[in-house]
Amino acid sequence: MDMGFTARIEELKRQWPGNIALQCFDGQEYAALPQAARQRLAKCLASGVENPDSQMGCYACQPSDYDALKPFFSRVLARYHKVPEHARHVNDWDLSHIDGLPAGGLLDLAALGLPPLSMRVRAGRNLKDFPLPGAMDRTMRVQLEQRMMAAFEGLIADPAYGGRYHSLTPGNPCFIDERAYDELVAAHIMFKNMDQDRYLLAAGIAADWPHGRGCYVSADRAFIIWVGEEDHLRIMCMQRGTVLNAVFDRLKSALERVGALPGLQFAVSEDYGFVTSCPTNLGTGMRASVHMPLPNLTRDGTDAKARAIAGPLGLSVRGIGGEHTPIGADGTVDISPSARFCITEAEIIAALYQGIARLKSEEDKAAANHPKSEEN
Ligand code: ADP
Ligand code: ARG
């Protein structure tokens, strides 16, 4: 057995108390595992060992990893998501199960005094018959893309979807050049170059970039499916407006449609819900966000104040280009509920609405403390 590996983790564990995967590693438990399981666990830990500043510090590499390595992952999930170790996830999109929402469950930001904002809801999904992206080789990545392209034909032929697929794979008939790719990234439609993400690189998830990577975009550009990013698929609805239900309801029906396409069976764990590469996304795989201008809370040019208010409300603050990007020059930030696991889809979209309401009132208070006339 590789004693060097355990010794290295124990050493890093002492130095990096914020790395959840390292903190949840149990050397004795690891030593008692069969060799294949030890290798499997070590692979999941690779990103957090190479990047000990990680907050989560691990990624699943096989759809069955969460169940097969349950003692480790249940501790990781409990610690990150602040749930009991035996917690079981339940999926539910029904807003009528949530108390305290406006009549009919209409989540209209206009009722909060807000103008139309860019709204987006995405769900991470993986196919059950491929390894997760951290354990795929180039051939498998391209096979997965081919499988998806065949499935997209059904969507493209349907007037309710239409649109086209854009591929980054050299030689693919749907290949787009760098300029077209950059335009899609700037339009928030396509994902960023994964080769720049040291966490994804160390996990093996960014390997073989840009082979097997691409995105389907519907005719109205409001329904998008990423292929080959951190999860096999990130399926999303995105549009400017005030009614959050528009993106939520459309995503629900689109997920049902995509899940029924031939050859696409999503990986699901009986206890943990939808399987995702990162344990932060497990369960719903859902991130529901708006791009919200907070010029007064960000008047120092940083998101520090917005984060201080949003964090305790269970909201994450990201930059305008997504995770690990800066806030917009006009103080616009990306706001989303942080929770994905042991929360229902309906609770996530409701939490977004309620969180926006709270942030709006904090922003209004900050504006009142800094009347415009004081600026001159
Ligand atoms: P993910 O949301 O899949 O975790 P990122 O945070 O990196 O990944 O965001 C991916 C892309 O989606 C980025 O271009 C980001 O700006 C964009 N995005 C996220 N939320 C919104 C939104 N509400 N409106 C417009 N674009 C958004
Ligand atoms: N692996 C990184 C960490 O552990 C990022 C985790 C959350 N982000 C994500 N894209 N899954 O800190």
Side-chain angles (χ1 to χ4, degrees), residues 43 53 56 63 86 95 114 121 134 147 167 174 199 220 223 237 251 256 287 315 335 338:
K43 183 156 177 53
D53 66 329
M56 171 51 75
H86 58 267
L95 280 167
L114 284 162
V121 188
R147 169 96 64 96
S167 175
C174 299
Y199 302 100
D220 66 1
F223 176 61
C237 289
L251 182 64
E256 283 160 9
R287 190 169 87 85
L315 299 171
I335 300 294
S338 313

Side-chain angles (χ1 to χ4, degrees), residues 118-120 122 185 188 190 192 226 234 238 287 289-291 318-323 334:
S118 181
M119 318 175 288
R120 173 180 181 265
R122 62 89 162 150
V185 174
H188 304 279
M190 186 49 169
K192 294 183 289 287
W226 292 355
R234 287 259 167 115
M238 181 169 76
R287 190 169 87 85
S289 62
V290 292
H291 276 179
R318 291 186 177 186
I320 204 73
E323 197 178 27
D334 171 324

Side-chain angles (χ1 to χ4, degrees), residues 196-208:
Q196 315 278 321
D197 185 322
R198 64 190 165 91
Y199 302 100
L200 295 182
L201 275 171
I205 295 174
D208 310 309

Side-chain angles (χ1 to χ4, degrees), residues 17-88:
N19 182 320
I20 291 177
L22 293 177
Q23 294 309 316
C24 292
F25 177 85
D26 179 329
Q28 281 181 355
E29 185 181 276
Y30 177 78
L33 290 174
Q35 196 198 5
R38 286 202 302 273
Q39 281 173 350
R40 203 167 165 172
L41 180 54
K43 183 156 177 53
C44 296
L45 283 159
S47 186
V49 172
E50 198 168 318
N51 300 287
D53 66 329
S54 295
Q55 188 197 357
M56 171 51 75
C58 60
Y59 293 93
C61 296
Q62 299 291 337
S64 55
D65 275 352
Y66 290 101
D67 295 315
L69 302 169
K70 196 164 229 162
F72 168 74
F73 275 114
S74 66
R75 291 193 294 276
V76 163
L77 291 166
R79 194 182 280 225
Y80 179 84
H81 295 282
K82 301 184 176 56
V83 296
E85 273 184 33
H86 58 267
R88 292 188 83 227

Side-chain angles (χ1 to χ4, degrees), residues 126-142:
N126 289 279
L127 301 192
K128 70 179 211 184
D129 48 0
F130 281 90
L132 294 177
M136 293 170 92
D137 62 23
R138 181 180 294 196
T139 307
M140 291 172 188
R141 292 183 206 278
V142 172

